PDB file of all heavy atoms in Angstrom:
ATOM      1  N   PRO A 107     -47.042  -1.967   1.335  1.00 96.00           N
ATOM      2  CA  PRO A 107     -45.711  -2.439   1.446  1.00 96.00           C
ATOM      3  C   PRO A 107     -45.566  -3.922   0.840  1.00 96.00           C
ATOM      4  O   PRO A 107     -46.399  -4.650   0.991  1.00 96.00           O
ATOM      5  CB  PRO A 107     -45.322  -2.308   2.896  1.00 96.00           C
ATOM      6  CG  PRO A 107     -46.570  -1.701   3.601  1.00 96.00           C
ATOM      7  CD  PRO A 107     -47.610  -1.603   2.558  1.00 96.00           C
ATOM      8  N   SER A 108     -44.524  -4.211   0.331  1.00 95.00           N
ATOM      9  CA  SER A 108     -44.110  -5.586  -0.133  1.00 95.00           C
ATOM     10  C   SER A 108     -43.731  -6.410   1.073  1.00 95.00           C
ATOM     11  O   SER A 108     -43.545  -6.001   2.263  1.00 95.00           O
ATOM     12  CB  SER A 108     -42.969  -5.691  -1.136  1.00 95.00           C
ATOM     13  OG  SER A 108     -41.995  -5.268  -0.421  1.00 95.00           O
ATOM     14  N   ALA A 109     -43.734  -7.732   0.859  1.00 93.00           N
ATOM     15  CA  ALA A 109     -43.335  -8.704   1.951  1.00 93.00           C
ATOM     16  C   ALA A 109     -41.980  -8.342   2.425  1.00 93.00           C
ATOM     17  O   ALA A 109     -41.676  -8.295   3.655  1.00 93.00           O
ATOM     18  CB  ALA A 109     -43.448 -10.045   1.385  1.00 93.00           C
ATOM     19  N   GLU A 110     -41.102  -7.984   1.584  1.00 94.00           N
ATOM     20  CA  GLU A 110     -39.598  -7.539   1.928  1.00 94.00           C
ATOM     21  C   GLU A 110     -39.737  -6.272   2.830  1.00 94.00           C
ATOM     22  O   GLU A 110     -39.075  -6.256   3.863  1.00 94.00           O
ATOM     23  CB  GLU A 110     -38.842  -7.311   0.673  1.00 94.00           C
ATOM     24  CG  GLU A 110     -37.404  -7.162   1.006  1.00 94.00           C
ATOM     25  CD  GLU A 110     -36.531  -6.652  -0.064  1.00 94.00           C
ATOM     26  OE1 GLU A 110     -37.071  -6.124  -1.020  1.00 94.00           O
ATOM     27  OE2 GLU A 110     -35.363  -6.819  -0.006  1.00 94.00           O
ATOM     28  N   GLU A 111     -40.656  -5.382   2.422  1.00 95.00           N
ATOM     29  CA  GLU A 111     -40.592  -4.075   3.106  1.00 95.00           C
ATOM     30  C   GLU A 111     -41.198  -4.297   4.693  1.00 95.00           C
ATOM     31  O   GLU A 111     -40.766  -3.888   5.655  1.00 95.00           O
ATOM     32  CB  GLU A 111     -41.439  -3.087   2.400  1.00 95.00           C
ATOM     33  CG  GLU A 111     -40.670  -2.547   1.171  1.00 95.00           C
ATOM     34  CD  GLU A 111     -41.540  -1.645   0.290  1.00 95.00           C
ATOM     35  OE1 GLU A 111     -42.824  -1.804   0.276  1.00 95.00           O
ATOM     36  OE2 GLU A 111     -40.945  -1.025  -0.532  1.00 95.00           O
ATOM     37  N   LEU A 112     -42.263  -5.262   4.615  1.00 93.00           N
ATOM     38  CA  LEU A 112     -42.859  -5.589   5.973  1.00 93.00           C
ATOM     39  C   LEU A 112     -41.894  -6.281   6.853  1.00 93.00           C
ATOM     40  O   LEU A 112     -42.087  -6.511   8.030  1.00 93.00           O
ATOM     41  CB  LEU A 112     -44.107  -6.394   5.724  1.00 93.00           C
ATOM     42  CG  LEU A 112     -45.276  -5.491   5.296  1.00 93.00           C
ATOM     43  CD1 LEU A 112     -46.547  -6.455   4.887  1.00 93.00           C
ATOM     44  CD2 LEU A 112     -45.682  -4.448   6.253  1.00 93.00           C
ATOM     45  N   ASP A 113     -40.857  -6.828   6.291  1.00 92.00           N
ATOM     46  CA  ASP A 113     -39.850  -7.659   6.973  1.00 92.00           C
ATOM     47  C   ASP A 113     -38.838  -6.534   7.795  1.00 92.00           C
ATOM     48  O   ASP A 113     -37.969  -7.049   8.441  1.00 92.00           O
ATOM     49  CB  ASP A 113     -39.083  -8.649   6.231  1.00 92.00           C
ATOM     50  CG  ASP A 113     -39.561  -9.923   6.402  1.00 92.00           C
ATOM     51  OD1 ASP A 113     -40.293 -10.215   7.433  1.00 92.00           O
ATOM     52  OD2 ASP A 113     -39.281 -10.842   5.738  1.00 92.00           O
ATOM     53  N   HIS A 114     -39.005  -5.290   7.455  1.00 94.00           N
ATOM     54  CA  HIS A 114     -38.086  -4.244   8.072  1.00 94.00           C
ATOM     55  C   HIS A 114     -38.873  -3.339   8.777  1.00 94.00           C
ATOM     56  O   HIS A 114     -40.189  -3.385   8.835  1.00 94.00           O
ATOM     57  CB  HIS A 114     -37.354  -3.576   6.874  1.00 94.00           C
ATOM     58  CG  HIS A 114     -36.361  -4.453   6.114  1.00 94.00           C
ATOM     59  ND1 HIS A 114     -36.809  -5.243   5.215  1.00 94.00           N
ATOM     60  CD2 HIS A 114     -35.031  -4.575   6.242  1.00 94.00           C
ATOM     61  CE1 HIS A 114     -35.717  -5.879   4.733  1.00 94.00           C
ATOM     62  NE2 HIS A 114     -34.621  -5.485   5.278  1.00 94.00           N
ATOM     63  N   THR A 115     -38.190  -2.341   9.407  1.00 95.00           N
ATOM     64  CA  THR A 115     -38.990  -1.428  10.156  1.00 95.00           C
ATOM     65  C   THR A 115     -39.720  -0.408   9.209  1.00 95.00           C
ATOM     66  O   THR A 115     -39.443  -0.341   7.987  1.00 95.00           O
ATOM     67  CB  THR A 115     -38.090  -0.506  11.096  1.00 95.00           C
ATOM     68  OG1 THR A 115     -37.299   0.382  10.318  1.00 95.00           O
ATOM     69  CG2 THR A 115     -37.097  -1.318  11.761  1.00 95.00           C
ATOM     70  N   PHE A 116     -40.696   0.319   9.636  1.00 96.00           N
ATOM     71  CA  PHE A 116     -41.704   0.954   8.673  1.00 96.00           C
ATOM     72  C   PHE A 116     -40.804   2.186   7.951  1.00 96.00           C
ATOM     73  O   PHE A 116     -41.129   2.677   6.882  1.00 96.00           O
ATOM     74  CB  PHE A 116     -42.949   1.481   9.292  1.00 96.00           C
ATOM     75  CG  PHE A 116     -42.792   2.694  10.142  1.00 96.00           C
ATOM     76  CD1 PHE A 116     -43.031   3.966   9.737  1.00 96.00           C
ATOM     77  CD2 PHE A 116     -42.456   2.511  11.556  1.00 96.00           C
ATOM     78  CE1 PHE A 116     -42.953   5.100  10.614  1.00 96.00           C
ATOM     79  CE2 PHE A 116     -42.435   3.630  12.392  1.00 96.00           C
ATOM     80  CZ  PHE A 116     -42.642   4.891  11.870  1.00 96.00           C
ATOM     81  N   LEU A 117     -39.567   2.555   8.538  1.00 98.00           N
ATOM     82  CA  LEU A 117     -39.003   3.610   7.938  1.00 98.00           C
ATOM     83  C   LEU A 117     -37.889   3.239   6.899  1.00 98.00           C
ATOM     84  O   LEU A 117     -37.438   4.008   6.194  1.00 98.00           O
ATOM     85  CB  LEU A 117     -38.222   4.576   9.011  1.00 98.00           C
ATOM     86  CG  LEU A 117     -39.196   5.329   9.859  1.00 98.00           C
ATOM     87  CD1 LEU A 117     -38.444   6.097  11.056  1.00 98.00           C
ATOM     88  CD2 LEU A 117     -39.969   6.339   9.069  1.00 98.00           C
ATOM     89  N   TRP A 118     -37.680   1.839   6.806  1.00 98.00           N
ATOM     90  CA  TRP A 118     -36.674   1.313   5.985  1.00 98.00           C
ATOM     91  C   TRP A 118     -36.807   1.754   4.538  1.00 98.00           C
ATOM     92  O   TRP A 118     -35.951   2.116   3.845  1.00 98.00           O
ATOM     93  CB  TRP A 118     -36.532  -0.128   6.174  1.00 98.00           C
ATOM     94  CG  TRP A 118     -35.538  -0.926   5.368  1.00 98.00           C
ATOM     95  CD1 TRP A 118     -34.139  -1.046   5.534  1.00 98.00           C
ATOM     96  CD2 TRP A 118     -35.910  -1.736   4.208  1.00 98.00           C
ATOM     97  NE1 TRP A 118     -33.614  -1.878   4.671  1.00 98.00           N
ATOM     98  CE2 TRP A 118     -34.553  -2.247   3.751  1.00 98.00           C
ATOM     99  CE3 TRP A 118     -36.984  -2.078   3.383  1.00 98.00           C
ATOM    100  CZ2 TRP A 118     -34.411  -2.988   2.642  1.00 98.00           C
ATOM    101  CZ3 TRP A 118     -36.772  -2.766   2.386  1.00 98.00           C
ATOM    102  CH2 TRP A 118     -35.438  -3.411   1.927  1.00 98.00           C
ATOM    103  N   ARG A 119     -38.067   1.533   3.913  1.00 98.00           N
ATOM    104  CA  ARG A 119     -38.187   1.739   2.542  1.00 98.00           C
ATOM    105  C   ARG A 119     -38.196   3.126   2.263  1.00 98.00           C
ATOM    106  O   ARG A 119     -37.794   3.458   0.969  1.00 98.00           O
ATOM    107  CB  ARG A 119     -39.538   1.120   2.050  1.00 98.00           C
ATOM    108  CG  ARG A 119     -40.853   1.872   2.743  1.00 98.00           C
ATOM    109  CD  ARG A 119     -41.978   1.145   2.015  1.00 98.00           C
ATOM    110  NE  ARG A 119     -43.333   1.832   2.573  1.00 98.00           N
ATOM    111  CZ  ARG A 119     -44.506   1.748   1.872  1.00 98.00           C
ATOM    112  NH1 ARG A 119     -44.506   1.122   0.801  1.00 98.00           N
ATOM    113  NH2 ARG A 119     -45.517   2.391   2.370  1.00 98.00           N
ATOM    114  N   LEU A 120     -38.470   4.143   3.110  1.00 98.00           N
ATOM    115  CA  LEU A 120     -38.255   5.437   3.010  1.00 98.00           C
ATOM    116  C   LEU A 120     -36.912   5.821   2.797  1.00 98.00           C
ATOM    117  O   LEU A 120     -36.326   6.669   1.859  1.00 98.00           O
ATOM    118  CB  LEU A 120     -38.970   6.368   3.896  1.00 98.00           C
ATOM    119  CG  LEU A 120     -40.410   6.299   4.202  1.00 98.00           C
ATOM    120  CD1 LEU A 120     -41.102   6.650   2.824  1.00 98.00           C
ATOM    121  CD2 LEU A 120     -40.949   5.053   4.760  1.00 98.00           C
ATOM    122  N   ALA A 121     -36.000   5.292   3.736  1.00 97.00           N
ATOM    123  CA  ALA A 121     -34.679   5.618   3.810  1.00 97.00           C
ATOM    124  C   ALA A 121     -33.854   5.321   2.672  1.00 97.00           C
ATOM    125  O   ALA A 121     -32.842   5.928   2.323  1.00 97.00           O
ATOM    126  CB  ALA A 121     -33.961   4.935   5.219  1.00 97.00           C
ATOM    127  N   ARG A 122     -34.253   4.254   1.866  1.00 97.00           N
ATOM    128  CA  ARG A 122     -33.561   3.822   0.705  1.00 97.00           C
ATOM    129  C   ARG A 122     -33.922   4.785  -0.445  1.00 97.00           C
ATOM    130  O   ARG A 122     -33.344   4.659  -1.501  1.00 97.00           O
ATOM    131  CB  ARG A 122     -34.180   2.410   0.281  1.00 97.00           C
ATOM    132  CG  ARG A 122     -33.907   1.474   1.422  1.00 97.00           C
ATOM    133  CD  ARG A 122     -34.617   0.136   1.019  1.00 97.00           C
ATOM    134  NE  ARG A 122     -33.762  -0.715   0.236  1.00 97.00           N
ATOM    135  CZ  ARG A 122     -34.148  -1.486  -0.673  1.00 97.00           C
ATOM    136  NH1 ARG A 122     -35.316  -1.651  -0.923  1.00 97.00           N
ATOM    137  NH2 ARG A 122     -33.260  -2.234  -1.350  1.00 97.00           N
TER     138      ARG A 122
END
Side-chain angles (χ1 to χ4, degrees):
S108 66
E110 188 191 20
E111 286 167 349
L112 285 174
D113 257 347
H114 293 81
T115 76
F116 75 95
L117 292 174
W118 180 76
R119 64 176 183 161
L120 295 307
R122 305 171 84 210

